[in-house]
Amino acid sequence: QSVLTQSPSASETPGQRVTISCSGSSSNIGSNYVYWYQQLPGTAPKLLIYRNNQRPSGVPDRFSGSRSGTSASLAISGLRSEDEADYYCAAWDDRLYGVLFGGGTKLTVL
Amino acid sequence: EVQLVESGGGLVQPGGSLRLSCAASGFTFSSYWMGWVRQAPGKGLEWVANIRQDGGEKYYVDSVKGRFTISRENAKNSLYLQMNSLRAEDTAVYYCARSEDYGPHFDYWGQGTLVTVSS
């Protein structure tokens, strides 16, 4: 069971906006940066958002991240079929002294 | 172009050992933290270990402490994961990843190597 909690699934229609949430605690999200990864079927994960809300070069601005207290969110606007993937949040945990990944959210674009 | 290529995966019996390697190219290997992340079949991502640029600082997930050892050889641009006392629950695809720091800032990933622990 992951210490970072994500809803197992989300779905939305093309062109719409979807938000994926990640809930943690004061020892991880509450005091450290949050990262988001996209994993397309059969491929390695890809860094989507770093340090709460920064996008690596090449990541479209349709993807945005935010953090508030001990929770974080990934928003995807203008949904496309190619956004159908698993999305994971991650953060360092000061109490466990290690990296935590959320359980992942499977996004379906209807 | 940054490339990370894992090798060394395979089938091993419970209690056995395996050494994974990751060959890095396209960047100054000695300037980055490196890590291993695994993914059991049909499951989510699980961080395994991170190592500092000079190898002087290492972090592990609790479930592998005392069994796995992360190491690196900067002269050979290589990262390693020595896995001992393997268990069925260690069965996973193991990814090598580059990180900007000790946290989960994994900006490049390898394609992964499958480790299967079974009798």
Side-chain angles (χ1 to χ4, degrees):
Chain A
Q1 187 172 358
S2 303
V3 179
L4 300 184
T5 303
Q6 297 182 240
S7 296
S9 63
S11 61
E12 190 49 89
T13 53
Q16 296 303 303
R17 184 177 187 269
V18 68
T19 300
I20 295 171
S21 62
C22 177
S23 177
S25 67
S26 58
S27 62
N28 41 69
I29 293 178
S31 53
N32 294 288
Y33 290 125
V34 178
Y35 299 76
W36 289 93
Y37 294 88
Q38 176 193 60
Q39 187 176 33
L40 299 171
T43 69
K46 170 189 172 184
L47 181 64
L48 211 55
I49 297 289
Y50 66 97
R51 294 177 187 167
N52 301 333
N53 55 20
Q54 303 300 301
R55 281 186 308 277
S57 60
V59 174
D61 59 6
R62 301 186 298 107
F63 296 90
S64 63
S66 64
R67 182 187 72 170
S68 178
T70 59
S71 293
S73 296
L74 171 71
I76 311 172
S77 60
L79 267 176
R80 300 180 177 184
S81 58
E82 55 261 39
D83 297 332
E84 194 161 280
D86 293 323
Y87 292 85
Y88 296 90
C89 59
W92 177 263
D93 190 283
D94 292 332
R95 183 171 52 85
L96 297 176
Y97 239 72
V99 171
L100 294 174
F101 279 96
T105 298
K106 183 176 183 63
L107 175 64
T108 300
V109 181
L110 301 169
Chain B
E1 177 194 5
V2 172
Q3 282 199 324
L4 298 170
V5 180
E6 302 94 337
S7 61
L11 175 64
V12 61
Q13 291 188 339
S17 298
L18 214 53
R19 189 198 198 203
L20 304 184
S21 298
C22 173
S25 60
F27 66 101
T28 305
F29 182 72
S30 59
S31 296
Y32 289 86
W33 282 77
M34 296 295 296
W36 290 96
V37 176
R38 67 185 179 183
Q39 187 169 35
K43 302 297 184 181
L45 301 175
E46 180 183 37
W47 169 76
V48 176
N50 278 3
I51 185 170
R52 197 174 67 187
Q53 290 90 329
D54 62 357
E57 202 169 329
K58 305 175 185 180
Y59 301 103
Y60 298 91
V61 67
D62 282 350
S63 60
V64 309
K65 284 179 183 175
R67 301 188 300 123
F68 290 11
T69 301
I70 188 172
S71 63
R72 62 191 297 163
E73 204 167 348
N74 288 342
K76 293 187 176 181
N77 291 335
S78 293
L79 176 73
Y80 307 102
L81 186 67
Q82 177 66 44
M83 303 186 295
N84 299 330
S85 302
L86 282 161
R87 306 166 180 167
E89 53 265 35
D90 295 319
T91 294
V93 172
Y94 284 74
Y95 294 102
C96 159
R98 187 183 88 167
S99 183
E100 290 284 343
D101 54 40
Y102 62 84
H105 194 152
F106 300 115
D107 57 356
Y108 285 93
W109 297 63
Q111 83 290 348
T113 187
L114 176 63
V115 172
T116 303
V117 184
S118 175
S119 54

